[in-house]
């Protein structure tokens, strides 16, 4: 491998070139290389200007985030960027691909910026719970208007070259080789006698609107990034840029950065960053296993899930054939898909041409032969074991050899479904979440017989669909729905004890859940879960309070949004409190002899979340999930658990397992309930003063 940073001369222009595959991430070696290259170029009398460019497919696309934990090695960011900014001759950044985080910050320390027409620039630090800490908060509002700078950092959205040019972040947009374009620009600057243009000496742009902007952005952050500290701290650093001299502003930025890096929010977000990469590592699976080719997709069932899954594949450019039992179902399915695409077109997120192209990829048919050439068939019919078995028997007859047969079942035993075929090794669960074209999570359910290359193909499919695939083993509800069962059980019981649906949902939403669970049931259809529990034979049939509210509402036909009332009433699309339902459910609690005690918000939260975590511990020790961090990915990507808390198992570690264990034991005593048995793994770790994180590390070391 060559040097990480090298310099060559193009006439009197020195080109400093970073070459650190795959994405030129800024780490100690890059900083040290830049330090040396700029020190030399600055003092070379033959050099009239310096271009900073990158090899490979992108400019510096971020910092090496491992350095957060190991500490920033010398030389530090500020020293290197100051050296660049203080160069006595013009320094021009040549940007191609994506400049992200520290990449954008080093470009800001350069005096001028030239970008390839396809390049983009972003400061996405907030997604890791930190702020641009290498001068970005201080330099950006000196280059583009304060409000645009604040929006760029709050949203984390990268800007394309044209937008960047319009705002003044980029001086010139070029086609072709960006280093050549930057050299030409540098020569023009030299010829015109233009000297260095130090960003730190420029005034903040739009300073007169700072107070107004900060007020609006604080309100926006409080609403859209509830409970988070990093947006508030980011605005503090930006305020310092507007109010203080550059060096003092930089000190504020540094202090804020350090405190955020050590805070739980950033640790949680970094944990998820690594956890989402770790999910692809399957214990015991050889790296030589290669995926099967996936070209054509078949889907059985044109309902809510079948349609959404078809869209997910069409969006990835793959042809899909959907089968349903009758023409009406096909017509309905096609109309729903079209309506969903049309909504995207009217919102401006999809062009009409792309919509047509995607619709053209989706074929609907009645005859199963239409999927006989598919490489992957996904069954998404009603949640009914007999029906699914019948369909798999048929697929076994018509599918080509080597085709992967999968089911989207939420709860059923996939080993039993696979057993009706002569090729159980080709069967795997692909559990999508609704709406399947939007939700990031894909639970991949491995049966006892799923072949290794089928599992690897399933992970590839997740990647192709830009989803995060997490492998689970077969059990009732797999990872996600199994843990949801006790969580929602407590929510429903609280209602029988005298809490209103809104008390329950607000307690969970204030904690950070995207939506309270009872509002979720209203959205998904209360009957869906109820019928699944009935089909399961009601595992707690000796307890008449078990999910009684859902059963009562289903009996009355109050199924949630689709019928206009459920736990709430729906008026003109708005959710409103339904006093009749509240009275009805409380009366039922009294009738069943449930002590009336109206649990506090804190108790509701603890009961729901600790029941969830306790089941998570069982899922772990049974091996249903490979890792605690896999559970965290499932819950943050598929169940609305707040990312800034890292997922339920990471959150449990931050609360302390001993505290959770003690509360569970206490609930077992005080609530007169059969459900509060601490999971053996939770008990063991709590008593040892350990954490799920440590347990996971020990497991992978074995
Ligand atoms: N809705 C969700 O939120 C969700 C989420 C994850 C998984 N699932 C699972 O996905 C599956 C489908 O759920 P859904 O919500 O899309 O149901 P749905 O009722 O919207 O759609 C089911 C479709 O299957 C069709 N169908 C029935 N019998 C058929 C047959 N013999 N051949 C071909 N098609 C047939 C129906 O006509 C209907 O169009 C279920 O197993 C469910 O548990 C649902």
């Amino acid at each position: 491998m060559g040097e990480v940073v090298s310099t060559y001369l193009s006439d009197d222009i020195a080109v400093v070139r970073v070459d650190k595959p795959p994405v030129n991430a800024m780490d100690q070696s890059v900083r040290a290389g830049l330090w040396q290259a700029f020190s030399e170029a600055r003092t070379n009398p033959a050099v009239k200007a310096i271009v900073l460019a990158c090899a490979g497919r992108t400019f510096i696309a971020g910092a090496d985030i491992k350095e957060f934990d190991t500490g920033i090695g010398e030389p530090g960011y500020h020293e290197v960027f100051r050296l660049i900014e203080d160069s006595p001759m013009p320094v021009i950044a040549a940007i191609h691909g994506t400049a992200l985080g520290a990449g954008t910050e080093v470009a800001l320390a350069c005096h001028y910026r030239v970008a390839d027409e396809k390049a983009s620039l972003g400061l996405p630090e907030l997604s890791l719970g930190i702020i641009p800490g290498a001068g970005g908060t201080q330099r950006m509002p000196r280059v583009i208007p304060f409000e645009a700078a604040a929006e760029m950092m709050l949203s984390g959205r990268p800007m394309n070259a044209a937008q960047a040019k319009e705002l003044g972040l980029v001086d010139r947009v070029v086609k072709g080789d960006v280093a050549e374009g930057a050299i030409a620009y540098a020569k023009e600057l030299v010829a015109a006698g233009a000297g260095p243009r130090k960003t730190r000496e420029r005034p903040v742009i739009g300073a007169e609107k700072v107070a107004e902007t900060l007020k609006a952005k604080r309100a926006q952050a409080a609403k859209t990034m509830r409970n988070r500290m990093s947006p508030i701290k980011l605005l503090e650093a930006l305020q310092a840029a507007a109010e203080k001299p550059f060096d003092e502003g930089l000190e504020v930025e540094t202090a804020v950065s350090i405190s955020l890096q050590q805070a739980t929010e950033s640790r949680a977000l970094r944990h998820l960053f690594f956890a989402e990469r770790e999910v692809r590592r399957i214990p015991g699976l050889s790296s030589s296993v290669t995926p099967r080719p996936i070209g054509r997709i078949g889907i059985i069932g044109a309902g809510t899930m079948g349609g959404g899954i078809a869209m997910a594949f069409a969006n990835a450019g793959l042809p899909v054939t959907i089968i349903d039992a009758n023409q009406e179902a096909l017509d309905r399915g096609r109309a729903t898909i079209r309506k969903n695409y049309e909504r995207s077109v009217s919102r401006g997120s999809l062009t009409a041409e792309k919509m047509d192209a995607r619709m053209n990829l989706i074929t609907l048919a009645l005859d199963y032969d239409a999927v006989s050439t598919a490489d992957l068939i996904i069954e998404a019919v009603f949640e009914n074991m007999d029906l699914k078995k019948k369909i798999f028997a048929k697929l076994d007859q018509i599918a080509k050899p080597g085709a992967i047969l999968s089911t989207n079942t939420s709860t059923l035993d996939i080993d039993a479904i696979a057993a009706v075929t002569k090729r159980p090794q080709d069967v795997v669960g692909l559990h999508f979440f609704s709406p399947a074209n939007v939700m990031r999570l894909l639970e991949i359910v491995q049966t006892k017989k799923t072949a290794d290359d089928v599992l690897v193909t399933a992970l590839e499919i997740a990647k192709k669909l830009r989803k995060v695939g997490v492998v689970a083993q077969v059990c009732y509800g797999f990872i996600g729905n199994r843990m949801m069962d006790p969580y929602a059980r407590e929510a429903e019981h609280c209602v029988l004890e005298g809490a209103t649906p809104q008390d329950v949902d607000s307690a969970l939403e204030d904690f950070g859940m995207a939506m309270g669970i009872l509002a979720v049931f209203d959205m998904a259809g209360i009957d869906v879960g109820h019928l699944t529990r009935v089909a399961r034979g009601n595992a707690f049939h000796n307890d008449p309070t078990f999910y009684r509210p859902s059963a009562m509402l289903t009996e009355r036909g109050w199924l949630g949004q689709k019928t206009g009332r459920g736990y709430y009433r729906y008026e003109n699309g708005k959710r409103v409190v339904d006093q009749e339902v509240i009275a009805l459910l409380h009366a039922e609690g009294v009738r069943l002899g449930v002590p009336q005690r109206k649990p506090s918000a804190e108790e509701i939260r603890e009961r729901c979340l600790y029941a969830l975590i306790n089941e998570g511990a069982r899922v772990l020790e049974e091996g249903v999930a490979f890792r605690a961090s896999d559970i965290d990915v499932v819950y943050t990507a598929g169940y609305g658990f707040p990312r800034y808390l890292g997922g339920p198992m990471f959150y449990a570690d931050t609360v302390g397992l001993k505290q959770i264990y003690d509360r569970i034991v206490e609930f077992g005593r005080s609530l007169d309930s059969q459900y509060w048995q601490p999971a053996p793994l939770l008990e063991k770790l709590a008593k040892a003063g350990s954490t799920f994180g440590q347990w996971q590390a020990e497991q992978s070391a074995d």
Side-chain angles (χ1 to χ4, degrees):
M1 208 171 80
E3 280 178 281
V4 173
V5 179
S6 57
T7 306
Y8 66 90
L9 279 181
S10 173
D11 302 324
D12 49 7
I13 311 295
V15 181
V16 174
R17 191 164 170 273
V18 177
D19 186 5
K20 187 158 199 316
V23 294
N24 295 312
M26 177 91 75
D27 65 0
Q28 190 274 338
S29 70
V30 173
R31 287 193 304 275
L34 288 175
W35 178 267
Q36 195 184 349
F38 273 87
S39 300
E40 285 166 12
R42 279 172 47 144
T43 50
N44 183 343
V47 171
K48 296 280 189 319
I50 306 171
V51 165
L52 171 62
C54 287
R57 59 183 157 96
T58 180
F59 194 71
I60 295 166
D64 177 4
I65 73 170
K66 287 198 200 82
E67 268 192 312
F68 290 155
D69 297 317
T70 56
I72 304 286
E74 295 287 324
Y77 284 95
H78 291 319
E79 293 162 78
V80 176
F81 290 7
R82 182 62 74 110
L83 181 82
I84 294 173
E85 198 171 39
D86 280 346
S87 294
M89 63 282 278
V91 180
I92 301 98
I95 301 161
H96 74 297
T98 40
L100 288 178
T104 299
E105 291 181 291
V106 72
L108 288 168
C110 297
H111 305 138
Y112 303 90
R113 284 155 292 279
V114 171
D116 172 75
E117 57 177 346
K118 293 203 197 77
S120 60
L121 296 92
L123 290 171
E125 280 81 352
L126 228 53
S127 67
L128 289 177
I130 51 171
I131 64 168
T137 65
Q138 306 302 300
R139 288 194 178 92
M140 188 59 89
R142 289 175 157 85
V143 174
I144 68 174
F146 186 86
E147 190 181 357
E151 182 54 29
M152 184 182 190
M153 294 179 220
L154 277 175
S155 73
R157 253 194 318 273
M159 223 179 253
N160 63 33
Q163 289 168 315
K165 171 79 171 64
E166 200 180 312
L167 286 169
L169 176 54
V170 159
D171 298 285
R172 179 176 286 179
V173 177
V174 298
K175 286 185 183 175
D177 187 284
V178 73
E180 289 304 321
I183 292 168
Y185 187 66
K187 288 181 175 168
E188 287 174 37
L189 289 172
V190 172
R197 183 184 58 178
K198 297 182 190 179
T199 305
R200 71 168 190 273
E201 289 176 358
R202 296 167 68 177
V204 166
I205 306 171
E208 67 289 349
K209 274 176 57 190
V210 163
E212 193 187 320
T213 304
L214 285 172
K215 192 167 164 223
K217 295 292 175 198
R218 285 197 171 111
Q220 178 192 332
K223 222 164 99 188
T224 59
M225 286 184 269
R226 217 161 20 116
N227 298 349
R228 287 190 55 183
M229 187 162 68
S230 52
I232 296 165
K233 291 284 180 188
L234 167 73
L235 292 169
E236 218 174 282
L238 278 166
Q239 182 169 6
E243 292 175 355
K244 293 178 190 290
F246 182 83
D247 286 335
E248 285 178 37
L250 212 53
E251 280 172 26
V252 173
E253 182 194 89
T254 302
V256 164
S257 271
I258 291 172
S259 72
L260 285 176
Q261 267 179 41
Q262 293 161 351
T264 305
E265 178 179 322
S266 172
R267 287 199 299 114
L269 292 165
R270 268 147 48 202
H271 161 74
L272 287 173
F273 178 88
F274 291 116
E276 288 184 3
R277 277 146 191 83
E278 185 77 359
V279 289
R280 292 176 60 80
R281 223 179 36 81
I282 307 303
L285 199 76
S286 150
S287 58
S288 63
V289 178
T290 51
R292 297 185 188 179
I294 296 295
R296 305 195 63 81
I297 315 296
I299 294 177
I300 315 298
T304 311
M305 294 310 290
I309 296 167
M311 289 174 75
F313 280 100
N315 295 353
L318 289 164
V320 183
T321 302
I322 314 180
I323 305 282
D324 207 304
N326 54 60
Q327 192 58 43
E328 295 77 67
L330 287 183
D331 293 344
R332 211 178 324 117
R334 190 201 310 269
T336 307
I337 293 172
R338 178 167 282 281
K339 207 173 74 212
N340 286 336
Y341 277 138
E342 278 170 353
R343 203 174 308 131
S344 304
V345 172
S346 68
R347 271 203 311 257
S349 56
L350 188 73
T351 64
E353 295 75 54
K354 278 206 173 132
M355 172 178 107
D356 290 342
R358 289 176 191 184
M359 283 304 294
N360 285 338
L361 283 172
I362 301 175
T363 315
L364 294 101
L366 287 173
D367 188 350
Y368 275 65
D369 279 345
V371 294
S372 61
T373 56
D375 304 298
L376 164 70
I377 303 178
I378 304 171
E379 166 279 309
V381 301
F382 305 132
E383 186 78 342
N384 176 305
M385 186 51 124
D386 290 340
L387 178 61
K388 290 193 193 270
K389 280 185 174 168
K390 232 166 68 195
I391 286 176
F392 269 75
K394 196 155 180 174
L395 293 178
D396 194 23
Q397 283 163 14
I398 58 116
K400 70 175 188 185
I404 294 179
L405 308 181
S406 72
T407 170
N408 185 46
T409 179
S410 310
T411 54
L412 298 175
D413 178 352
I414 306 180
D415 279 301
I417 296 175
V420 304
T421 72
K422 286 191 270 315
R423 40 174 132 179
Q425 74 282 359
D426 294 341
V427 176
V428 68
L430 290 181
H431 185 210
F432 288 83
F433 290 73
S434 183
N437 53 318
V438 177
M439 294 293 288
R440 274 183 74 225
L441 179 63
L442 177 66
E443 247 183 332
I444 297 168
V445 190
Q446 179 180 19
T447 72
K448 291 194 183 72
K449 297 196 173 149
T450 303
D452 285 354
D453 64 341
V454 170
L455 200 59
V456 168
T457 313
L459 286 161
E460 270 313 295
I461 290 166
K463 202 166 152 196
K464 213 169 234 172
L465 301 183
R466 306 173 77 132
K467 295 190 187 294
V468 48
V470 180
V471 177
Q473 306 302 308
V474 175
C475 70
Y476 174 80
F478 319 125
I479 298 174
N481 285 343
R482 167 162 168 186
M483 288 172 61
M484 190 48 47
D485 200 60
Y487 169 84
R489 175 200 74 216
E490 286 306 305
E492 296 229 344
H493 206 274
C494 286
V495 171
L496 294 177
E497 291 167 30
T500 66
Q502 202 177 24
D503 291 338
V504 172
D505 283 347
S506 302
L508 298 172
E509 285 166 17
D510 288 348
F511 169 78
M513 298 300 290
M515 219 175 166
I517 186 64
L518 303 178
V520 169
F521 284 172
D522 269 4
M523 195 176 68
I526 297 171
D527 53 324
V528 176
H530 174 70
L531 294 175
T532 311
R533 279 184 290 275
V534 171
R536 197 185 166 202
N538 203 341
F540 295 99
H541 48 80
N542 60 342
D543 175 12
T545 70
F546 182 67
Y547 276 96
R548 181 63 192 141
S550 270
M552 268 191 108
L553 294 172
T554 305
E555 284 157 15
R556 278 174 172 66
W558 298 350
L559 308 180
Q561 285 180 24
K562 62 186 169 189
T563 59
R565 75 189 300 189
Y567 285 97
Y568 301 89
R569 254 207 333 270
Y570 294 85
E571 291 172 1
N572 305 322
K574 274 187 73 179
R575 186 182 306 135
V576 292
V577 168
D578 189 336
Q579 293 300 344
E580 196 186 340
V581 166
I582 292 172
L584 180 80
L585 297 177
H586 288 175
E588 184 67 357
V590 172
R591 187 186 75 79
L592 292 169
V594 175
Q596 297 298 293
R597 46 189 296 281
K598 208 169 167 51
S600 68
E602 196 191 351
E603 182 182 326
I604 293 169
R605 248 191 320 269
E606 284 185 338
R607 280 170 59 183
C608 293
L609 289 160
Y610 294 177
L612 180 82
I613 291 161
N614 198 37
E615 196 64 25
R618 290 208 168 90
V619 158
L620 266 185
E621 62 191 337
E622 287 173 24
V624 169
F626 290 133
R627 293 165 282 258
S629 59
D630 286 8
I631 297 177
D632 290 333
V633 173
V634 165
Y635 263 80
T636 49
Y639 289 83
F641 194 97
R643 287 181 64 82
Y644 60 82
L645 293 178
M649 309 317 271
F650 182 90
Y651 170 71
D653 284 350
T654 61
V655 172
L657 299 189
K658 170 85 167 66
Q659 182 170 331
I660 294 175
Y661 170 79
D662 287 347
R663 286 298 278 157
I664 288 176
V665 171
E666 206 175 304
F667 287 141
R669 263 190 237 119
S670 64
L671 292 174
D672 181 28
S673 146
Q674 62 187 305
Y675 305 116
W676 290 99
Q677 307 296 328
L681 178 64
L682 177 69
E683 179 165 2
K684 188 176 97 181
L685 297 177
K687 287 188 171 158
S690 185
T691 63
F692 291 122
Q694 277 172 25
W695 182 79
Q696 179 174 314
E698 283 158 22
Q699 299 287 306
S700 34
D702 285 348

